[in-house]
Structures are given as structure tokens and as C-alpha cells.
Amino acid sequence: MLGQLPILTTITFLPGLGAIAILVLRALMRKEDGASMERNAKGVALFVTLFVLALTALLMVEFDPSVAGFQFVEEAAWLAEVGISYRMGVDGLSVLFVLLTAMLMPICILASWKLEKRVAEYMAAFLLLEMLVIGLFCALDLILFYILFEGSLIPMFLIIGVWGGQNRIYAAFKFFLFTFAGSVLMLIAMITMYAQAGTTDITQLLTYEFGRTAQMWMWLAFFASFAVKMPMWPVHTWLPDAHVQAPTAGSVILAGILLKLGGYGFLRFSLPMFPQASEFFAPMVFALSVIAIVYTSLVAFRQTDIKKLIAYSSIAHMGYVTIGVFTMTELGVQGAIYQMFSHGLVSGALFLCVGVIYDRFHTRDIGFYGGLVHKMPVFAVFFGLFAMANVGLPGTSGFIGEIMVMTGAFQVAPWVAAGAALGVIGSAMYMLTMYKKVVFGELTNTKLEVATDLNAREWINLGVLAVLAIYLGFFSTPITDMTEASVNALINQYQGALAAPVQ
């Protein structure tokens, strides 16, 4: 059906063209009615993101899940004199994240519909971010990946720094500096890989055998970047500040997509390219992940800001991802991917719920609320559903990923599974306590008397995510079938590399 259409290039750069169109419209209408310009900017952004979603849906229909290798591969000359080319392709490890990005972006645009401050620039920043992130998941060249990986920092930095809260400048710079510092080490490792292998083609590097010593150093360099992106304990401190200060849509895309870059990086680079180092450092990753799950759950319980509580919850849930990835079992890796996809939906929905009440009362203080169920019953149902999904209640997508990860971890290291199980108790503790304080009880704050329930736009956003969270809680095969062949190929390659003679 797709024929010769360069579908990945189209999906990747269409948002960039949309961003340019918005900025051109802003320039042409600078002297015209400002309200018309804002409506046009929002309309263009929504149309482009929906069109990208439609093309991505077509991509998913044409994608063959039985093939472990890369599909829809596109290649063009770029820096041929130094062996660097423009290469794009997707496999079962990456295509789901392209879909997740395309799904969340229209929701982010709708969630920002009431924005009044520099609307054109805001919409352009989100489209630019979509372009960079989708391109990153499709990149099959080290240098192309790195450019897009670092480039995604810029629009997110602007979204936090321009449209964020009172301490937005501090949070934006902290976000940028933390993530950029780790990425510098990754760039050094990439240059070393090019010097040894003579290519930046990821498909060739996946089969290249680096020496054990080289693997150790390069694994640590990549780990420095991906651990910050996740973020793993103890390099997690930038995330709560970024979430609290970011606008609602910024928090949705930060938790839903950008945190997944680290997990994707481990699967794409660390495990297949540095298998001996991955095996050596796996106990360290397990230990850091269990600490993150337990520690951040306790910290979340003490929060008085709803958004910060959910931010710490995200750190804990990413701990399950790193555990699942480094079990290198089919259940563990599948569970890690499932957890990332589910977390993108559920955490995004939770931040949207916080945005709903923040738009009405301009505070995220848990103590301000109480008894919202009396004035906002529909909101209470949605908020409760996503809180349960975040806890990992059976029947929601959050349960599937967590149980797969813990089962995979038990096969490798039972103590890791036991530590991860503590996180389930912790998440129930802080999420249910917060939900009770915000939603139930008597309506004692008179300022809440004027509360209004969800409008049509909020209904659409939360309704779509609720359907997906419930559907994926009962039917896991749409995700697991898509990734099974690629995950099995990754595990077989990993085990084969470990069985080979040590260099």
C-alpha cells in the first residue's frame, strides 16, 4: 500500500514543515487580528499531528511483526566522505514508540487549546519536538541519532523555560544541563566506535564485536546519557523540578515520550553492542533500580504537590523498565517495553488530570482540595481509573507490564523481583492516599463550590487514554506480538555474544 513512499521521512519531517507554516503565518498576520493568528496556529498544529497519526496508523498496518529486522529502510547520501549517511528504519523495538509519540501529540495540542501566551511559538515548539523524537526512533545512523537525541532538548527547554511556572528558568536549565552533560560522554563513545568499526551504520554496528575492555568504557559512556534520560537514581533530581514547572502538555510529553529515550537506548545500543559489559553491570543496574523504586515511592508519599508526586511516581516506574531490560529474558524485555508504552499513556493521563483542576483553581496543593467527587464526578472517575492503572491494578495496562517484569526478574534474581514488589505496595500507598484527599471527603473549601466538570475537549483527551489503558489491560497481544520477533532476535544475539570467546 505504501509503495515507494518514504513513509518514515514523511512522518518525521511533516511536523517540521507544520512548524515552519505556523511561524510563516505568524509573520504574515503580525499586524492582523491576534485571535485569528492563534486559532490558525492551533488549527495547523492539530491538523498536522492528526495527519502524522493517520500516517503512523498506516505504517502500523503495513508493518510485519514476524520480521525481526528493520523495515521501511530509507537511505540517502549525507556525509559520504566520512562514512555517514542518512538512514531510517523501524523494527519491533522502535515502531511502538513512533506510534506512542504520534498518539500523544494531538492530545498535547488539545490540552493547550486555552493557551494565550505566544501561541504560535508554542505550537511550533511542539511540532519541532515531534519531528526530532520520531526521527530519533527511526534513525539507523549513530550521528543522525545523536543529533536528534540532543536536538530534542532544545524545544523541551523552551517549553519549560518560556511557558512554565514561577521557577521555570531554574527547572529548564537544570533539565538541559543534566541531560546534556551525560550525552557528551555518549558522543565520545560514538566517535570511538566509529574509529574502531569504521562506520556509523547502526545495522552494521549491531553485529560488530568490540573488545571487552572497550565495551566496558563505552557501556559506561552510554549509560551516563541514558540513565539521566530515564531518569535513574541518583541522577533523577532534575525530573520533579521539570515536571512541576512545565505546562501540562509539556509534562505529558516529558513523561510520556522523553523518559522512554533512555530505555530505548539501552535496548538499541547497550545490550546488543556491548553484551559482555551489559552482563557485568547488570547487578549494578538492578540495585539502582530497586533503590529507585523503593526510595522514590517513599518520597512520593511525602509530597504535597500533586504534580511532584506523579513525577516521583514516574521515576519509580522507570525502575521497572531498567529491571526488565537487563533481565535479558523474553518476559522481562517484553514487560519493559509494555511498561514504557503503558506508562506513556497513564502518566500522560495523570498529568492531564492535574491540568484539569489546575486550570480551574490554579493550585496543585493536595491540601487545597477535598470532596471534588461532589462537584466533578466524571473527573473523579477518570482520575480514579488512571490512579489505579498507575498502581498496577489488574484490568489496566499498568498491571501487565509490571507482572511481566517481575516474572522475568524472578527467573534471573529473585531478590530483584522482591524489591520490585515493594514498589507495588508503595505506589498503592501514595496514589490512593492522594486520591482520597483530593476526591473524597466533605467539600470544606468554599472555593471549590464553583467547580465544573469536564468539558468536551477534556472528555476526548481522557476518554481516549482511558479506553487504551483498559483495552491493553485485558489484551496484551497487540503490543507483545509487535515486539516478539525483535525481542527474541535481541536475546539470541545477546546470548550468542556471551557464548563467544572473550577478547
Side-chain angles (χ1 to χ4, degrees), residues 160-161 164-174 241-242 244-246:
I160 298 173
Q166 185 176 359
N167 295 321
R168 60 186 180 275
I169 303 301
Y170 168 79
F173 274 98
K174 190 174 183 180
D241 292 318
V244 168
Q245 299 304 320

Side-chain angles (χ1 to χ4, degrees), residues 28-262:
L28 293 175
M29 301 181 66
R30 186 179 296 274
K31 297 181 181 180
E32 302 295 332
D33 179 28
S36 297
M37 185 272 290
E38 292 178 1
R39 286 195 302 271
N40 289 338
K42 295 172 184 176
V44 170
L46 182 60
F47 173 78
V48 169
T49 53
L50 287 174
F51 191 50
V52 169
L53 177 58
L55 290 176
T56 305
L58 181 60
L59 173 72
M60 299 300 294
V61 170
E62 294 291 307
F63 183 83
D64 185 355
S66 65
V67 176
F70 293 99
Q71 302 178 44
F72 310 103
V73 176
E74 303 167 15
E75 184 171 359
W78 185 22
L79 301 173
E81 61 274 10
V82 291
I84 300 173
S85 299
Y86 171 84
R87 298 184 184 91
M88 304 281 273
V90 290
D91 64 353
L93 301 179
S94 58
V95 71
L96 283 176
F97 297 112
V98 176
L99 175 63
L100 182 61
T101 305
M103 287 169 51
L104 288 180
M105 277 298 176
I107 292 175
C108 288
I109 300 303
L110 285 175
S112 308
W113 209 255
K114 290 185 177 181
L115 182 75
E116 297 178 354
K117 177 184 177 182
R118 308 188 72 167
V119 175
E121 292 90 340
Y122 180 90
M123 296 298 168
F126 267 92
L127 290 178
L128 180 61
L129 182 60
E130 181 177 27
M131 178 189 76
L132 294 169
V133 173
I134 290 179
L136 182 157
F137 288 128
C138 298
L140 293 183
D141 183 274
L142 277 182
I143 302 304
L144 179 61
F145 174 88
Y146 181 80
I147 291 173
L148 297 170
F149 189 85
E150 290 294 88
S152 64
L153 298 179
I154 299 173
M156 196 66 223
F157 172 80
L158 295 174
I159 289 168
I160 298 173
V162 176
W163 294 277
Q166 185 176 359
N167 295 321
R168 60 186 180 275
I169 303 301
Y170 168 79
F173 274 98
K174 190 174 183 180
F175 158 75
F176 186 88
L177 293 175
F178 262 73
T179 51
F180 180 75
S183 300
V184 171
L185 296 176
M186 183 174 70
L187 177 61
I188 296 173
M190 287 181 172
I191 295 172
T192 304
M193 294 167 68
Y194 172 72
Q196 290 193 22
T199 182
T200 58
D201 187 343
I202 290 176
T203 57
Q204 295 183 34
L205 290 169
L206 287 173
T207 59
Y208 187 87
E209 297 182 6
F210 293 99
R212 180 178 177 85
T213 301
Q215 284 191 34
M216 296 296 177
W217 288 108
M218 289 188 287
W219 188 96
L220 287 172
F222 275 83
F223 180 77
S225 179
F226 299 147
V228 173
K229 278 285 189 183
M230 290 292 290
M232 295 180 66
W233 182 89
V235 290
H236 66 284
T237 58
W238 63 268
L239 183 65
D241 292 318
H243 269 310
V244 168
Q245 299 304 320
T248 297
S251 291
V252 171
I253 211 65
L254 181 60
I257 302 298
L258 295 188
L259 297 192
K260 311 306 181 289
L261 301 186

Side-chain angles (χ1 to χ4, degrees), residues 286 289-294 297 320 323 406 413-425:
F286 290 151
S289 300
V290 171
I291 292 173
I293 291 171
V294 176
S297 294
Y320 289 97
I323 287 174
M406 287 190 285
W415 69 270
V416 177
L422 293 176
V424 178
I425 300 172

Side-chain angles (χ1 to χ4, degrees), residues 214-412:
Q215 284 191 34
M216 296 296 177
W217 288 108
M218 289 188 287
W219 188 96
L220 287 172
F222 275 83
F223 180 77
S225 179
F226 299 147
V228 173
K229 278 285 189 183
M230 290 292 290
M232 295 180 66
W233 182 89
V235 290
H236 66 284
T237 58
W238 63 268
L239 183 65
D241 292 318
H243 269 310
V244 168
Q245 299 304 320
T248 297
S251 291
V252 171
I253 211 65
L254 181 60
I257 302 298
L258 295 188
L259 297 192
K260 311 306 181 289
L261 301 186
Y264 173 73
F266 285 135
L267 291 170
R268 177 62 71 223
F269 299 99
S270 301
L271 292 177
M273 296 184 186
F274 319 124
Q276 295 170 9
S278 295
E279 181 189 42
F280 180 81
F281 288 113
M284 179 192 74
V285 174
F286 290 151
L288 293 177
S289 300
V290 171
I291 292 173
I293 291 171
V294 176
Y295 170 74
T296 54
S297 294
L298 294 174
V299 174
F301 182 70
R302 299 298 300 167
Q303 298 307 308
T304 59
D305 185 303
I306 307 175
K307 213 174 186 186
K308 186 170 284 191
L309 183 150
I310 299 171
Y312 278 109
S313 169
S314 293
I315 299 169
H317 282 85
M318 289 301 99
Y320 289 97
V321 172
T322 46
I323 287 174
V325 167
F326 282 89
T327 63
M328 279 315 296
T329 62
E330 181 181 0
L331 267 177
V333 177
Q334 288 269 37
I337 297 172
Y338 208 101
Q339 176 76 349
M340 284 192 279
F341 194 89
S342 169
H343 180 264
L345 302 175
V346 174
S347 67
L350 285 171
F351 283 116
L352 287 174
C353 288
V354 177
V356 167
I357 55 178
Y358 184 80
D359 287 344
R360 287 157 172 77
F361 305 107
H362 305 291
T363 180
R364 296 182 297 268
D365 184 8
I366 295 175
F368 178 87
Y369 296 99
L372 277 182
V373 68
H374 302 295
K375 292 292 182 179
M376 304 175 67
V378 177
F379 167 80
V381 171
F382 277 118
F383 196 24
L385 169 64
F386 296 123
M388 294 299 101
N390 199 52
V391 169
L393 183 73
T396 65
S397 59
F399 173 76
I400 303 294
E402 289 184 4
I403 197 66
M404 290 174 70
V405 166
M406 287 190 285
T407 304
F410 189 81
Q411 297 173 2
V412 176

